[in-house]
Amino acid sequence: MTQTPSPPSAGPTDAPAPGASETEVTLVILGASGDLTHRLLLPGLGTLLNTTGRYRITLIGAAVDELSAEAWAERVRSALASAGTKQARAGDVLARTRYVRLDVTDPAAIGPFASQLPADSVLYFALPPAITLRACEALVGVPLPAGLKLALEKPFGTSRATAQAANELLVRLVPERQIFRVDHFLGKATVLNLLGLRFTNRVLQPVWNAEHIESVQIVVDEALALEGRAGYYDRNGALKDMVQSHLLLVLALCAMEEVSTLDEREVRDLVVHTLRATQLWTGDPVTSSRRARYVAGRVGQREIPSYVDEEGVDPSRSTETLAEIDLRIETGRWAGVKFTLRSGKALGDERNAITVVFKPVPHVPTGFTGEAARNVLSIGMKPQTIALRLSTNGAGDKFDLEETVLAEDLGDSELRPYGEILEFLFAGDPLLSVRGDIAEECWRIVEPVLTAWAEDRVPLEEYRAGSAGPLAYA
Ligand code: BG6
């Protein structure tokens, strides 16, 4: 596998050259007291600081909560420690960090706050999307610092129209190149390395098309259940939480046309090109989608209550905890190939992989017994693995066909996905961020499904927590 492309100035693991100065970055986290900051963002920052000495971070936490300087510092310390951040690096951040109590939706508060930030600061909205939008509205007309970068968490909008409106609002604040719609799947090494795998291997590059590939499955089946996230999850469900964002982006990287460089414009142009050609498999959401919800069961040692009995869940919303859609891509490269995207919670068999199933060879020589196994390439996103299934006639009867799997564990990256995302953000390279038109296109693809589900035209199936999912695909 290739390495993740480096942001413009230097590689992710490069320390500054002797005598070279560090780049000063002011990172403002709005929603700093929240779970995302503590669980993902700061630990990701910690892994970035461990791998590069290039950045000198001034971290400003902001939120509506009353928080003492000590309490904030303690949160930062524990979040950095959870990612094994080297003491010197963590100490450096702690020496300069501060917390500001701020109502981000109040123009009289956020306006003056944002306008006095140094040039090239990063304003990271680790907030629910509705609050983020209100904060952005409050920033319209404010003289913002030159080079200010805005980072926004998913979900970006709730429909194509709202995503479009949000895009229009954001470009009133800063140019598109300074808007970073975050999707941490793009920070996963195996996801971006799809490009390296596809375009730098002679054995794959020429066969990556409908002539040789039969189907592709992109599946994230999680053992995790609701984990106390009803406030967010019950209003979104599996389709919006996982498929509309993460899995469609993985699909695009998997299916896009060949890039000539890893320049952000080139890559993102081809991503949106592929998404524009993507349609529901049959064109009908009823026959191209499935949804299901878990009922009580046991995942490993844990007893899981029925989803509808989880605290904070409103059963009348009929939120799905598993979503599956079948897609086609209307290009010569992919005509007739079915792409299935699925993600579910509280499942017994965890799976987190892109599976590419090849067509059979046109002729198996007469004389062989047994079936020639299909070639299957499986790219694990978590853990990071790669496996290729081959048909062989080896051990035992030499005419009997069997299958052999070549498998490799790629190990964990030192940099967590959020560290990767932050590195590109600090460098001002939007390669790993979701461009506005890409976000809108992802909504366009799933919208007919959302409508059919809201109108109850697709049955809401049930599966037992800890099982393999609804019977039909178990
Ligand atoms: C998040 C979703 O974006 O991605 C979660 O909100 C999901 O529901 C998570 O569990 C999966 O990401 P990862 O990196 O843990 O596989």
Side-chain angles (χ1 to χ4, degrees):
M1 303 287 277
T2 55
Q3 293 299 304
T4 304
S6 312
S9 41
T13 52
D14 292 346
S21 60
E22 295 170 320
T23 305
E24 297 271 350
V25 176
T26 299
L27 169 63
V28 182
I29 304 183
L30 305 176
S33 56
D35 180 56
L36 176 85
T37 303
H38 194 263
R39 209 166 41 84
L40 295 167
L41 206 46
L42 291 177
L45 176 68
T47 62
L48 174 60
L49 296 177
N50 276 350
T51 56
T52 177
R54 278 201 288 135
Y55 297 108
R56 187 152 202 258
I57 311 292
T58 300
L59 175 68
I60 304 176
V64 273
D65 310 66
E66 191 76 70
L67 207 61
S68 67
E70 294 70 36
W72 167 246
E74 179 48 31
R75 282 188 193 204
V76 175
R77 196 202 55 73
S78 72
L80 292 176
S82 74
T85 311
K86 292 173 192 154
Q87 266 194 350
R89 302 277 197 216
D92 216 32
V93 174
L94 286 163
R96 260 189 315 270
T97 192
R98 64 190 166 93
Y99 179 80
V100 181
R101 188 165 177 235
L102 186 73
D103 175 358
V104 296
T105 62
D106 177 4
I110 190 164
F113 171 78
S115 61
Q116 52 75 43
L117 291 170
D120 299 320
S121 294
V122 174
L123 206 48
Y124 199 116
F125 297 84
L127 290 164
I131 312 272
T132 298
L133 279 187
R134 286 178 58 196
C136 290
E137 274 157 14
L139 286 174
V140 173
V142 170
L144 295 171
L148 179 72
K149 294 179 263 282
L150 306 179
L152 300 99
E153 274 295 330
K154 73 167 234 301
F156 185 75
T158 51
S159 62
R160 189 181 196 186
T162 51
Q164 216 163 17
N167 283 336
E168 280 163 17
L169 171 64
L170 289 170
V171 292
R172 291 175 68 194
L173 305 180
V174 298
E176 174 65 38
R177 263 192 74 93
Q178 289 162 231
I179 302 168
F180 290 74
R181 297 171 196 77
V182 173
D183 189 296
H184 79 281
F185 267 55
L186 294 179
K188 286 180 190 261
T190 40
V191 172
L192 200 69
N193 280 343
L194 273 169
L195 303 186
L197 189 66
R198 286 185 52 195
F199 301 131
T200 65
N201 286 292
R202 189 68 192 224
V203 294
L204 292 179
Q205 189 262 359
V207 297
W208 209 260
N209 54 50
E211 195 187 335
H212 301 285
I213 291 177
E214 186 169 87
S215 64
V216 177
Q217 288 104 43
I218 302 171
V219 172
V220 177
D221 282 347
E222 296 181 287
L224 287 178
L226 191 54
E227 318 298 326
R229 297 167 75 214
Y232 155 75
Y233 195 86
D234 199 41
R235 288 169 196 281
N236 288 283
L239 188 69
K240 288 186 190 167
D241 183 46
M242 294 295 293
V243 179
Q244 182 275 334
S245 47
H246 303 320
L247 301 195
L248 277 172
L249 294 172
V250 176
L251 166 91
L253 291 175
C254 192
M256 69 198 277
E257 294 302 315
E258 183 157 350
V259 287
S260 72
T261 76
L262 292 178
D263 166 69
E264 62 84 13
R265 168 115 192 249
E266 168 81 353
V267 173
R268 300 194 305 168
D269 277 355
L270 290 178
V271 162
V272 81
H273 163 263
T274 299
L275 291 170
R276 268 201 303 267
T278 302
Q279 308 290 344
L280 294 176
W281 174 245
T282 63
D284 176 2
V286 176
T287 48
S288 302
S289 75
R290 301 188 66 189
R291 58 177 179 151
R293 186 167 68 183
Y294 65 80
V295 294
R298 174 187 279 264
V299 181
Q301 298 307 308
R302 293 183 309 145
E303 291 294 341
I304 307 287
S306 285
Y307 177 76
V308 291
D309 295 331
E310 298 260 24
E311 204 182 320
V313 166
D314 175 356
S316 73
R317 287 200 184 104
S318 297
T319 302
E320 82 286 354
T321 57
L322 181 147
E324 180 175 298
I325 57 173
D326 294 330
L327 301 168
R328 65 174 198 273
I329 299 174
E330 295 193 328
T331 59
R333 181 190 281 271
W334 293 118
V337 179
K338 188 191 271 190
F339 291 82
T340 300
L341 274 45
R342 182 179 81 232
S343 185
K345 297 246 181 235
L347 289 159
D349 299 329
E350 285 207 302
R351 197 168 141 193
N352 205 312
I354 304 154
T355 307
V356 181
V357 181
F358 288 84
K359 289 183 171 164
V361 289
H363 174 69
V364 174
T366 316
F368 278 121
T369 56
E371 280 218 7
R374 293 293 179 85
N375 293 144
V376 175
L377 177 69
S378 176
I379 304 154
M381 295 181 278
K382 193 172 100 180
Q384 301 186 104
T385 55
I386 186 154
L388 177 64
R389 187 170 81 183
L390 298 170
S391 171
T392 51
N393 58 315
D397 181 346
K398 53 188 166 304
F399 296 117
D400 192 23
L401 294 173
E402 43 199 66
E403 54 179 74
T404 300
V405 178
L406 308 179
E408 184 71 25
D409 188 339
L410 301 174
D412 284 338
S413 315
E414 239 181 301
L415 209 51
R416 293 193 185 174
Y418 269 91
E420 196 81 67
I421 298 281
L422 286 173
E423 160 116 270
F424 277 74
L425 177 56
F426 294 167
D429 182 348
L431 176 68
L432 299 189
S433 100
V434 181
R435 205 169 63 191
D437 52 353
I438 295 176
E440 289 177 28
E441 218 45 53
C442 290
W443 281 114
R444 198 256 321 141
I445 294 165
V446 299
E447 237 163 37
V449 178
L450 288 169
T451 308
W453 291 6
E455 292 168 356
D456 243 348
R457 286 192 280 131
V458 176
L460 181 59
E461 298 171 59
E462 286 188 340
Y463 60 97
R464 192 174 40 78
S467 71
L471 270 183
Y473 86 69

